[in-house]
Amino acid sequence: MKQRNLIAALVLLALSGGYAYMTAHLPARGIENMTEPSFFPWIVATLLLMLTSILLVQSLLPGPAAATWNLSAAARSKVAQVLGLFAVYVAVLPSLGFLVASVPFFGAMMAVYGERRPVWLVLGSFGVAVGLFYLFRLVFTIYLPAGVLKGLI
C-alpha cells in the first residue's frame, strides 16, 4: 500500500505542478472589482499540492501500511449513482444554466444519500442552488451560466 501511495503521490505531484504552471499563465482581465480568472484554479492547485504532499510524506514515513478498502455492493451502487448524476449534471449545465441544472441535481444527490422527506428535498435543493448562485455572483463576482434564464437573472 505504501508503494502505491508513493507512486500515486509522485504522479499527482507532477500533474498538480503542471496544472499550477498552466494556471500561472492565464491572462488577466484588467476589470476593477472582479476576481481574476486564475483565482479558483490557484485555490485548486494549492489544495492539490498540499494534499499530494501529505500523501507523499505519509508514504515515506515508517509505520504500518493502511488497510485496503472493501466496498459493499450498496456502496458501489451509490458511487455509480453519484458519478452518473454528476456526468448528467456536467452535460446539461452549459445549456440549462446553473440554477435550472443544479436544483434537480442537488435534490437527486440528497435522495441518493438518504433524504426521503419531499419538502426537505425541494427546499434544500432550491436553497443550496440559489444560495451558491448568489454567493458566487455577489461575493466572488463570478457569473455562473444563466442558460435558459438568461434574460431573467
Side-chain angles (χ1 to χ4, degrees):
M1 187 67 148
K2 283 188 169 272
Q3 185 179 7
R4 279 192 275 171
N5 284 348
L6 178 62
I7 292 169
L10 294 174
V11 169
L12 286 171
L13 197 59
L15 288 174
S16 58
Y19 182 73
Y21 175 78
M22 290 188 299
T23 299
H25 291 88
L26 286 174
R29 285 193 287 197
I31 301 172
E32 285 190 38
N33 298 324
M34 294 293 283
T35 306
E36 290 295 320
S38 63
F39 178 69
F40 281 106
W42 270 120
I43 290 174
V44 170
T46 302
L47 290 174
L48 188 58
L49 284 168
M50 280 183 1
L51 293 172
T52 302
S53 299
I54 291 170
L55 181 62
L56 181 64
V57 168
Q58 283 180 343
S59 67
L60 294 174
L61 289 177
T68 59
W69 287 2
N70 291 324
L71 291 178
S72 66
R76 282 193 300 269
S77 172
K78 192 177 284 191
V79 168
Q81 290 173 12
V82 167
L83 289 175
L85 284 170
F86 188 70
V88 170
Y89 175 68
V90 169
V92 300
L93 183 65
S95 59
L96 293 180
F98 182 80
L99 283 175
V100 175
S102 294
V103 171
F105 172 70
F106 291 137
M109 291 291 283
M110 289 169 63
V112 166
Y113 282 101
E115 181 59 58
R116 297 290 175 247
R117 298 169 291 185
V119 173
W120 282 107
L121 283 171
V122 171
L123 292 178
S125 60
F126 186 75
V128 168
V130 170
L132 285 173
F133 183 80
Y134 283 108
L135 173 74
F136 275 84
R137 177 169 279 198
L138 301 176
V139 176
F140 299 129
T141 62
I142 294 174
Y143 288 83
L144 297 173
V148 296
L149 301 177
K150 189 169 185 165
L152 301 173
I153 54 175

